[in-house]
Amino acid sequence: MSGGPRPPLPMRLAAAAYRFRESLFLLPALIVLGGIGLAEAAGAVDRAMGREAGIPLTLTMHSSTATWLLSTVAGAMITTAGVVFSLTVVSLQLASSQFSPRVMRSFIRDRLSQVVIGLLIATFVYCVLILRQVDAETAGPAPRVSVTLAVLLTVVTVLLIVAHLDHLAHGLQVGEVVRSITGEGEEVLAAALRASRTERPAGARTPHEGGPVLTVPAPRDGWVTQAPGDRMLAALPAGTTVRLETRPGAYIHEGEPLVTLWPVPTEPDAVVRRLSATVLIADTRTMQYDVDFALRQLVDIGLRALSSAINDPTTAVEVTLRVGSLLRRLLVADAPVEAVAGPAGRLLLRPWQLSPEEYVGHGFDQLRQAAPAQPQVAAALLRVLRMLIAHVEAAGRPEHVPALRRQIELLLDALRAAPGLHLADLARLEAIGTDADPADHSGRWPGT
């Protein structure tokens, strides 16, 4: 975290692992290093066993043939690597223009793409390094183990290229994109629920009226990506209360209040350094602990689909269904506690966490505002909202029903005011927004 104290090692490791997953360089670089090591190991085996030894399952050829083979493979691999790089750039361009710039991260972090890029360069490097071990005598035997491994690497790489092309063709389909985003959002939600189960709730404390407090400013501009409660509590002196003035997924400006604590510790500078290090601020927003970012990406895709330039209501319908899938899990999950008790009288307050009502708004507000021009999308929104109402009621969470009903009412009001909407279409949409949904076949069986 540049511009501030160094975060604890576990936080740095978590951030590094996330950056590693979203890097097109790091994993390929490790694979290339593995290719270099494999070339040295294969050469050592050939030198130890001798080239005249009959090693089973290895290829036998003259040095001239091996030189031609290795040169051909090396040239083909570096050429194909350029083609794969071009395909990757094109896929990123399509994802940015067709879906949303924020969706590009899903393609960058694709593990198969990273492996294929790394293996292409590793095979090229391997062949180049093995060439120096081939004798200049054209009639002499070639190193068997090294040449055999070169052929195996070539076959595996070619098969992975074909798999990569198939994977890329499927990955560019909007259904796969929104499924991937929703799945990642569900994983983030599940991780947050596991972490919240280890927290001990407590009653909130407020500072004494007129009492002194210590405000810790944000050390830099950026997105809050980590703010683990256990780390913040561990950084406090005994009997201290700290209030987090932001949340993961929020943008904060340098100098804005980051945390506030009371009573003021006897060594404030040391406490400020420790607390500042427990809140990680990054240059870009991530989904590491931010399920709301999944909703943001899905809504962006839906809005882009409803724009006049693309005009793809079917994609907007699929996005609406995926938003409903994510909210179906989020609304019945136990929200993280606002006040967390720690040892020795420590207390952490998190008043700025998103509420379920805010998640509903983030998931539906913008889609609802754009939907009246597309009755098909409006119908999908109404049905998803009614599904969520039934779901939260069945799960014993009726407190979420007003926010969902409010979305239905606002959408129906917008549809009534929409110009050019036929009265029959309006009547059908109003029926969908009520218990008279014409597509609801509950209680009706074939033959009745």
Side-chain angles (χ1 to χ4, degrees):
M1 184 174 69
S2 60
R6 192 173 179 81
L9 180 61
M11 293 178 63
R12 298 202 306 273
L13 290 177
Y18 195 87
R19 288 195 299 271
F20 179 84
R21 181 69 190 270
E22 296 201 343
S23 172
L24 271 176
F25 171 76
L26 295 177
L27 180 59
L30 288 180
I31 295 175
V32 171
L33 291 177
I36 295 174
L38 183 63
E40 296 301 322
V45 171
D46 280 319
R47 288 191 296 272
M49 301 193 67
R51 298 184 182 182
E52 300 294 341
I55 305 174
L57 302 178
T58 57
L59 299 175
T60 303
M61 62 181 70
H62 294 301
S63 295
S64 58
T65 305
T67 301
W68 172 84
L69 176 65
L70 293 171
S71 302
T72 302
V73 170
M77 288 299 111
I78 200 65
T79 302
T80 308
V83 175
V84 172
F85 288 145
S86 300
L87 288 175
T88 303
V89 171
V90 169
S91 66
L92 293 177
Q93 258 185 332
L94 287 174
S96 177
S97 60
Q98 189 74 17
F99 305 130
S100 165
R102 278 154 291 282
V103 177
M104 289 175 60
R105 52 178 297 280
S106 299
F107 292 85
I108 294 174
R109 75 199 307 264
D110 182 76
R111 187 65 78 203
L112 182 58
S113 298
Q114 297 174 3
V115 169
V116 169
I117 292 172
L119 198 55
L120 280 167
I121 306 301
T123 304
F124 165 77
V125 172
Y126 177 88
C127 291
V128 170
L129 293 178
I130 295 301
L131 274 172
R132 64 186 174 89
Q133 301 178 20
V134 179
D135 291 338
E137 299 178 6
T138 58
R144 293 189 174 190
V145 174
S146 299
V147 172
T148 302
L149 286 177
V151 173
L152 287 176
L153 277 176
T154 304
V155 172
V156 171
T157 303
V158 170
L159 291 176
L160 279 179
I161 291 171
V162 176
H164 173 63
L165 294 176
D166 177 75
H167 179 72
L168 190 62
H170 287 87
L172 285 173
Q173 297 177 16
V174 66
E176 179 61 24
V177 173
V178 297
R179 184 210 61 78
S180 174
I181 295 171
T182 306
E184 189 179 357
E186 291 171 354
E187 291 174 2
V188 173
L189 176 60
L193 292 176
R194 288 193 298 269
S196 65
R197 294 191 190 103
T198 64
E199 297 177 341
R200 184 160 54 95
R205 283 204 302 259
T206 56
H208 299 293
E209 186 175 352
V213 298
L214 177 63
T215 300
V216 179
R220 54 169 296 195
D221 298 329
W223 297 91
V224 178
T225 58
Q226 292 188 55
D230 56 341
R231 298 287 171 185
M232 298 186 71
L233 289 169
L236 294 175
T240 304
T241 297
V242 62
R243 184 175 63 221
L244 181 63
E245 305 293 357
T246 183
R247 60 174 176 83
Y251 188 89
I252 194 167
H253 297 89
E254 181 180 357
E256 284 187 331
L258 183 67
V259 296
T260 303
L261 65 153
W262 62 89
V264 178
T266 55
E267 297 181 358
D269 292 340
V271 175
V272 165
R273 285 195 300 272
R274 292 199 301 267
L275 272 177
S276 297
T278 61
V279 181
L280 193 62
I281 301 174
D283 294 326
T284 57
R285 190 176 182 181
T286 71
M287 275 180 64
Q288 196 171 358
Y289 298 96
D290 182 16
V291 68
D292 187 57
F293 192 32
L295 291 174
R296 178 69 268 160
Q297 293 176 77
L298 290 172
V299 171
D300 281 352
I301 296 173
L303 294 176
R304 186 69 63 92
L306 290 174
S307 66
S308 57
I310 297 179
N311 192 24
D312 183 8
T314 304
T315 292
V317 169
E318 186 159 0
V319 165
T320 301
L321 297 174
R322 291 293 183 176
V323 170
S325 296
L326 189 54
L327 287 176
R328 185 181 176 89
R329 292 166 174 78
L330 196 152
L331 293 180
V332 298
D334 294 326
V337 295
E338 182 177 323
V340 183
R346 299 178 177 89
L347 181 65
L348 167 64
L349 304 179
R350 299 179 295 197
W352 301 110
Q353 296 180 116
L354 291 177
S355 66
E357 291 74 19
E358 288 175 308
Y359 281 118
V360 169
H362 291 180
F364 292 119
D365 277 345
Q366 289 182 289
L367 292 174
R368 169 179 54 77
Q369 293 160 5
Q374 295 287 351
Q376 178 186 359
V377 180
L381 275 168
L382 291 169
R383 288 196 172 107
V384 167
L385 287 165
R386 286 191 57 223
M387 175 274 293
L388 288 174
I389 289 174
H391 181 61
V392 297
E393 287 178 339
R397 301 295 178 96
E399 65 273 15
H400 304 326
V401 172
L404 296 168
R405 290 200 184 279
R406 177 63 175 163
Q407 292 288 331
I408 292 178
E409 294 168 0
L410 290 173
L411 180 53
L412 290 176
D413 288 344
L415 290 168
R416 295 183 186 108
L421 185 62
H422 196 279
L423 291 178
D425 290 331
L426 178 59
R428 182 177 66 86
L429 292 171
E430 287 179 333
I432 292 174
T434 66
D435 293 334
D437 187 350
D440 186 1
H441 302 289
S442 57
R444 295 175 56 189
W445 299 91
T448 63

